[in-house]
Amino acid sequence: MNAPLSATPRPIAYPSLVEDQRIHGSVYTDPAIFADEIDRIFSRGWVFLAHESEIPNPGDFVTRKLGLQSVIVTRDAAGGFHSLYNRCPHRGAVVCQAEAGHRRSLTCPYHGWTFAMDGALMGVPAPGAYEGLSAQPAGLAPIARLDSYGGFIFGSLGADGPNLTTHLGKAVEWIDQLCGLSPTGRIRLSAGWMKHKMRCNWKMIVENQVDGYHAPMVHGSLLAANETFASVRDRKDSSPTRVHDVGLGHTDIDHATDYRTTPDRLFRWTGGVPEAKLPNYVAAMRESYGEADARRRLIDGPPHSMLFPNISLAEMNIMVIQPISPTETIHYSTPVLLEGAEEMNARTMRRCEGALGPAGFLIADDAEIAELNQLGVANLEPEWILLNRGLASEVVDAEGVRTAGLMDETSQRGFWRHYRDVMSAVGGA
Amino acid sequence: MTVQTLQPSVAIDHDAIAQFLYREARFADEHRYDDWEALWADEALYWVPIGEDPDPATRISYIYDNRARLASRIRQLKTGRRHSQEPASGLRRLISNIEIETRGEEIVTRSNFILVESRRGALITWAGQAEHRLRKAGGDFRISAKTVRLVNSDEPISNLAFLI
Ligand code: FES
Ligand SMILES: [Fe+2]
């Protein structure tokens, strides 16, 4: 039985809440668990901050959340990347209110201390009063670690722990797969972000991103209203699509295993558009990769994956899941634009708007269900959430990658297995 | 009241235009999907941008529906299984500050709105400016474009599955 009004005992024994086949409902509601997550996962672990293409030029910056911290991600005069706490070293004011922009320097709105884009202090008004003092004015504080892969910049507030490559593990293959849809191997996230407020725990959305079971139910209205969406992929239990848990909490729904069953058709991943409608894109891909390899890329399409903890390479979109409180989350979405494929990009923009965000034909309904899910787990019985679907048919290969059918909960189990490791580890992520 | 404007070819009746905007708002508020859709021209754009005057070719919008997509949106709502509007939100909006100008054959109106949405125990306030492009059609009008500029389009917003 739950003890409804008593708090979870401290320290929290995560293995007793996150079992192999079931999850205790309190992990979605308990403020102490949320605080632990912000510390262990979203502060000490690696978290996506920005894509290099969002700050292409010296002086460009964006402000982002790393856990609950506001940080400024900048490009300095030499083109180098920095991530700085958004807090003035003088008396603590937020230095940068703008979400994005281009500046020669950053000036604090309170007393006017000015910082270079790498955070170094450039000047303070009336500096004479600091002469002879031991505590001298200093610059903006950098976060502990910053690194990038495939243009995706990640940060961590913790000085220790695995490096980014170790954290990403096999997920780098999905980043490569996505970038490899561009004839130049580079993508751009330059269209801005939709910001979707959801009244649910962040993990509801993570689990849903790689849930192959819900589409007929949650997205039935779209399947009925728009035949294109219905016809491009097989959404039945018998679908050739596989789900994978590739370890370290990274999981995917591999639609390519379905698309490869129709090797005569390219572009099933973008509404099954006829090849003849994207002639320049197809030609550029052939030019870059050769006939056979270009064809393979255009059959397979982009990954549909969820990288631990909160960035999803969601086909031709990037989606980021930002925790706000145990019951509030913001879901950010932006289309993936391919360098050297403008013809494709126009299409991707409009498909992103159609499917995603608060008005999207898909995600509005996912958001609704996530909110119902959150309301549901606030009710106390039965206190466990079941995650054992498809367990018996799961196949584990020599490298530990787990594979199962489209509608199996292998992907959710993969997330939770790593979650439990991180939350239980001595010293955090 | 009939006002003769600088373009003598288009005489605009401010009251009739205001009545049209109120009717469109009422159909949206009352989820009268077919009636609402019937107000639109055959070629149309229904746009909810993010930020100030973005270029829709390079910046993502919350909604950028051409006429076909607008029809899809309505079909989806009418399935009765669009979960984000099942049950439908309680909606009422006030429209004010209507300004009207003509550009050739087209009538362009800008108006402010405050919309209150009731959804599962919460009252959510939406506010902004709507810009309509209208064409005369018989004694009535048809919408060729509607742009809704939310005051908080830069901030996170909750589900916008109803018609705004
Ligand atoms: S708080 Fe920033 S200059 Fe004083
Ligand atoms: Fe979904």
Side-chain angles (χ1 to χ4, degrees):
Chain A
M1 270 298 287
N2 273 345
L5 298 176
S6 71
T8 311
R10 304 289 179 275
I12 299 161
Y14 286 97
S16 71
L17 299 173
V18 180
E19 297 184 357
D20 288 339
Q21 299 186 35
R22 59 179 202 169
I23 306 297
H24 196 264
S26 63
V27 297
Y28 300 98
T29 58
D30 186 334
I33 291 177
F34 181 80
D36 256 5
E37 292 170 347
I38 292 300
D39 174 31
R40 288 175 167 263
I41 297 174
F42 287 95
S43 300
R44 290 191 251 171
W46 286 101
V47 178
F48 170 73
L49 281 177
H51 191 266
E52 290 179 5
S53 61
E54 295 183 85
I55 42 176
N57 302 308
D60 289 348
F61 72 91
V62 291
T63 51
R64 289 289 147 85
K65 281 284 176 67
L66 207 168
L68 302 181
Q69 297 289 300
S70 170
V71 298
I72 316 166
V73 187
T74 67
R75 197 134 190 193
D76 68 25
F81 296 98
H82 302 270
S83 182
L84 310 160
Y85 286 90
N86 198 356
R87 168 182 168 142
C88 180
H90 177 221
R91 298 242 296 267
V94 155
V95 170
C96 187
Q97 288 191 74
E99 248 180 25
H102 177 88
R103 304 266 171 82
R104 230 181 258 280
S105 58
L106 298 166
T107 299
C108 177
Y110 196 176
H111 311 92
W113 286 25
T114 298
F115 308 92
M117 297 311 282
D118 64 0
L121 184 69
M122 290 170 70
V124 310
Y130 288 102
E131 275 166 27
L133 300 181
S134 58
Q136 286 295 309
L140 296 169
I143 65 167
R145 290 184 293 166
L146 193 70
D147 201 356
S148 74
Y149 183 88
F152 290 83
I153 304 171
F154 292 80
S156 171
L157 303 182
D160 309 315
N163 64 24
L164 179 63
T165 313
T166 307
H167 163 79
L168 289 174
K170 285 182 179 297
V172 296
E173 293 170 21
W174 295 322
I175 296 177
D176 294 344
Q177 180 185 351
L178 183 63
C179 297
L181 285 174
S182 155
T184 68
R186 283 188 294 273
I187 63 166
R188 280 199 327 262
L189 304 187
S190 56
W193 296 83
M194 296 190 191
K195 300 172 201 159
H196 193 173
K197 189 162 42 171
M198 302 183 183
R199 287 182 285 181
C200 65
N201 187 273
W202 65 279
K203 302 186 292 302
M204 297 288 183
I205 307 170
V206 171
E207 292 178 283
N208 179 252
Q209 281 295 114
V210 277
D211 182 272
Y213 191 21
H214 73 288
M217 190 68 195
V218 175
H219 305 305
S221 64
L222 181 59
L223 304 181
N226 189 322
E227 288 190 17
T228 314
F229 275 85
S231 62
V232 291
R233 64 173 69 136
D234 184 344
R235 293 173 182 275
K236 295 187 289 294
D237 199 14
S238 57
S239 165
T241 294
R242 302 287 92 182
V243 298
H244 299 118
D245 156 15
V246 303
L248 300 174
H250 308 311
T251 62
D252 81 334
I253 299 180
D254 185 7
H255 289 298
T257 50
D258 179 1
Y259 302 151
R260 283 180 209 142
T261 63
T262 53
D264 54 322
R265 292 173 65 194
L266 310 182
F267 297 124
R268 281 176 64 197
W269 47 276
T270 179
V273 62
E275 188 174 333
K277 289 217 169 162
L278 297 168
N280 298 317
Y281 176 40
V282 174
M285 288 296 282
R286 283 200 181 115
E287 176 73 18
S288 294
Y289 302 109
E291 170 69 34
D293 192 28
R295 198 170 172 80
R296 179 189 62 78
R297 289 165 195 251
L298 296 177
I299 291 169
D300 284 5
H304 183 125
S305 59
M306 185 69 236
L307 278 57
F308 191 91
N310 72 330
I311 176 170
S312 179
L313 311 185
E315 304 181 32
M316 293 309 284
N317 312 284
I318 302 298
M319 302 174 83
V320 175
I321 298 159
Q322 173 65 50
I324 302 296
S325 78
T327 57
E328 293 166 286
T329 302
I330 298 170
H331 204 185
Y332 291 83
S333 312
T334 194
V336 173
L337 306 178
L338 304 174
E339 199 176 273
E342 292 316 315
E343 199 173 55
M344 180 66 201
N345 293 343
R347 181 177 174 79
T348 299
M349 293 273 294
R350 302 286 88 93
R351 282 177 62 82
C352 177
E353 285 154 345
L356 307 190
F361 294 157
L362 289 172
I363 302 298
D365 292 329
D366 289 308
E368 181 74 8
I369 297 300
E371 293 188 1
L372 292 175
N373 210 166
Q374 191 68 32
L375 291 172
V377 296
N379 300 326
L380 294 170
E381 296 288 344
E383 58 191 301
W384 292 91
I385 281 156
L386 295 181
L387 275 184
N388 58 350
R389 191 178 161 83
L391 188 62
S393 59
E394 202 170 89
V395 176
V396 189
D397 75 9
E399 295 181 56
V401 173
R402 292 162 194 265
T403 301
L406 170 64
M407 295 192 172
D408 295 337
E409 283 159 352
T410 296
S411 40
Q412 287 83 12
R413 287 191 291 272
F415 168 80
W416 284 108
R417 189 176 297 111
H418 189 63
Y419 175 95
R420 182 174 61 199
D421 288 348
V422 172
M423 297 298 281
S424 314
V426 178
Chain B
M1 173 179 64
T2 300
V3 178
Q4 204 67 28
T5 67
L6 293 177
Q7 287 83 7
S9 61
V10 187
I12 52 172
D13 179 336
H14 287 67
D15 287 343
I17 292 168
Q19 288 297 318
F20 179 83
L21 297 179
Y22 298 154
R23 182 152 43 107
E24 192 239 335
R26 178 162 50 88
F27 290 163
D29 286 347
E30 295 177 359
H31 310 283
R32 290 170 60 174
Y33 300 127
D34 289 334
D35 291 336
W36 188 80
E37 191 181 2
L39 301 178
W40 287 78
D42 293 340
E43 295 265 310
L45 176 68
Y46 173 44
W47 186 24
V48 181
I50 298 175
E52 298 237 333
D53 287 323
D55 175 1
T58 58
R59 301 295 290 177
I60 198 82
S61 301
Y62 282 123
I63 295 175
Y64 193 81
D65 286 0
N66 63 15
R67 190 63 186 82
R69 183 165 285 174
L70 182 59
S72 259
R73 187 174 296 281
I74 299 292
R75 281 200 304 276
Q76 186 181 23
L77 285 163
K78 284 170 61 182
T79 60
R81 287 182 287 144
R82 171 66 155 160
H83 299 278
S84 42
Q85 276 300 303
E86 286 298 328
S89 298
L91 302 173
R92 282 295 168 190
R93 72 195 80 188
L94 305 180
I95 294 176
S96 185
N97 303 52
I98 301 172
E99 293 182 273
I100 301 171
E101 59 178 284
T102 58
R103 293 182 198 162
E105 293 300 301
E106 208 170 48
I107 299 159
V108 180
T109 72
R110 284 187 300 275
S111 57
N112 293 348
F113 69 92
I114 295 176
L115 162 58
V116 178
E117 177 192 15
S118 167
R119 185 133 197 98
R120 217 180 288 123
L123 283 179
I124 302 168
T125 307
W126 300 81
Q129 181 198 60
E131 181 176 306
H132 288 76
R133 287 167 186 269
L134 304 176
R135 289 188 198 139
K136 289 200 163 186
D140 201 4
F141 304 97
R142 290 286 173 273
I143 307 166
S144 56
K146 179 178 184 185
T147 304
V148 179
R149 301 187 180 97
L150 296 171
V151 294
N152 58 339
S153 72
D154 275 334
E155 298 290 330
I157 60 172
S158 51
N159 263 358
L160 183 53
F162 60 83
L163 301 172
I164 194 157

